[in-house]
Amino acid sequence: GLVVLYGDTDSLFVQTTTKDSEVARDQARQLAAELNADLARYVEERWRVPSRLELKFEKLYLRLFLPHARHSTRGASKRYAGLRYGDGVDQVEFIGMEVVRRDWTALAKEVQRELYRRLFTDQPVDVYLADVVKRVRSGQLDDALVYRKNLRKDTEEYTATTPPHVAAARKSTQASGRLISYVMTLAGPEPLDEMRNPLDREHYVTKQVKPVAEPVLATLGLDFERVIGDMRQLDLLGGP
């Protein structure tokens, strides 16, 4: 009688029937116990062996965001954000999203954290997002534009393709090890120790801010270009 929101290899998300957090936790524990009993009966009847499967209540989200896979209407596997209920302090938790991955910039991570905090607490996101883009374009957030990615092999071994971090590593004049720190400039990727061209700040607007913002904006029925006041981009895209 309960709605299953999402499930994967080792987790199951079920929507509660109450807004009372303590009642919801009790309901979840009871549900786990009932499911374990059902599983035990099924395994015993079907295979005549004791069940070794066990579901445990782990955590309660007051709000949960399950994004679509990019360019698809299917839900993304092991990617979600939720406002987790805690004893005293509720916190936004990210699983599998950009904020927990090292190959995204500090800019993208901070924007994602703040957007979901605002989404889960019913605060406006449009003014914040427009201000972030304005600050990126003005150079105020340049320190947050650094990419960091590991080389999996020596730079000369990349022959089929040349990823940005490899191109940056080849331009470096210092022994930088496996972890490459680089930025995107108007002349392409350049290492921090050999940066010779101006930053391509528009790259960061479209490749770092926009991807983390669009799932939240879509939920709220908002358009990225309109929110940041970039009517020029809308005209180029043929938008109304």
Side-chain angles (χ1 to χ4, degrees):
L2 297 174
V3 176
V4 174
L5 299 173
Y6 169 76
D8 58 37
T9 310
D10 57 1
S11 61
L12 188 69
F13 291 73
V14 180
Q15 187 168 359
T16 65
T17 58
T18 176
K19 293 186 180 298
D20 186 305
S21 300
E22 290 304 319
V23 173
R25 291 212 285 194
D26 290 341
Q27 188 181 64
R29 293 188 183 97
Q30 180 64 29
L31 177 61
E34 292 174 0
L35 287 171
N36 286 330
D38 288 343
L39 281 168
R41 279 193 298 269
Y42 177 79
V43 171
E44 173 64 32
E45 292 171 2
R46 178 68 176 79
W47 287 287
R48 301 299 178 188
V49 295
S51 173
R52 297 290 185 239
L53 300 171
E54 182 184 9
L55 283 166
K56 295 188 294 184
F57 168 62
E58 184 178 352
K59 52 194 171 185
L60 173 67
Y61 288 115
L62 303 176
R63 291 192 171 187
L64 181 67
F65 186 88
L66 298 167
H68 288 139
R70 289 214 171 103
H71 313 299
S72 172
T73 57
R74 182 180 61 84
S77 299
K78 297 183 183 293
R79 275 174 53 86
Y80 53 88
L83 182 62
R84 182 174 177 175
Y85 176 70
D87 295 321
V89 180
D90 303 331
Q91 59 181 346
V92 179
E93 184 173 78
F94 296 90
I95 302 297
M97 299 183 74
E98 290 79 3
V99 72
V100 295
R101 292 168 51 188
R102 189 164 66 178
D103 54 347
W104 284 74
T105 63
L107 169 70
K109 294 177 181 182
E110 178 56 33
V111 170
Q112 189 169 67
R113 286 191 194 96
E114 183 61 18
L115 285 178
Y116 282 91
R117 186 191 70 80
R118 288 171 176 263
L119 177 68
F120 291 144
T121 55
D122 298 315
Q123 296 182 51
V125 303
D126 48 356
V127 175
Y128 164 74
L129 201 54
D131 180 63
V132 165
V133 171
K134 180 180 178 181
R135 292 166 65 202
V136 170
R137 287 173 168 167
S138 68
Q140 296 179 51
L141 300 179
D142 285 356
D143 290 343
L145 305 185
V146 180
Y147 288 100
R148 291 180 173 87
K149 191 164 185 178
N150 276 319
L151 289 171
R152 300 194 178 190
K153 50 190 177 182
D154 293 337
T155 56
E156 61 270 17
E157 295 181 47
Y158 289 86
T159 55
T161 60
T162 305
H165 68 299
V166 175
R170 288 174 177 170
K171 297 175 184 177
S172 178
T173 57
Q174 299 181 11
S176 53
R178 288 291 179 181
L179 182 62
I180 306 301
S181 299
Y182 69 98
V183 292
M184 292 300 296
T185 73
L186 295 176
E190 295 184 351
L192 287 181
D193 65 349
E194 197 65 24
M195 184 179 157
R196 299 188 175 188
N197 293 280
L199 286 167
D200 183 358
R201 297 190 180 95
E202 211 56 37
H203 162 90
Y204 291 95
V205 173
T206 59
K207 300 298 185 182
Q208 291 289 291
V209 177
K210 186 176 181 179
V212 300
E214 282 192 323
V216 173
L217 296 179
T219 299
L220 300 172
L222 299 174
D223 176 88
F224 181 75
E225 277 74 23
R226 289 189 180 280
V227 165
I228 68 172
D230 201 341
M231 303 309 293
R232 177 173 57 91
Q233 287 292 329
L234 274 176
D235 291 340
L236 291 174
L237 295 171

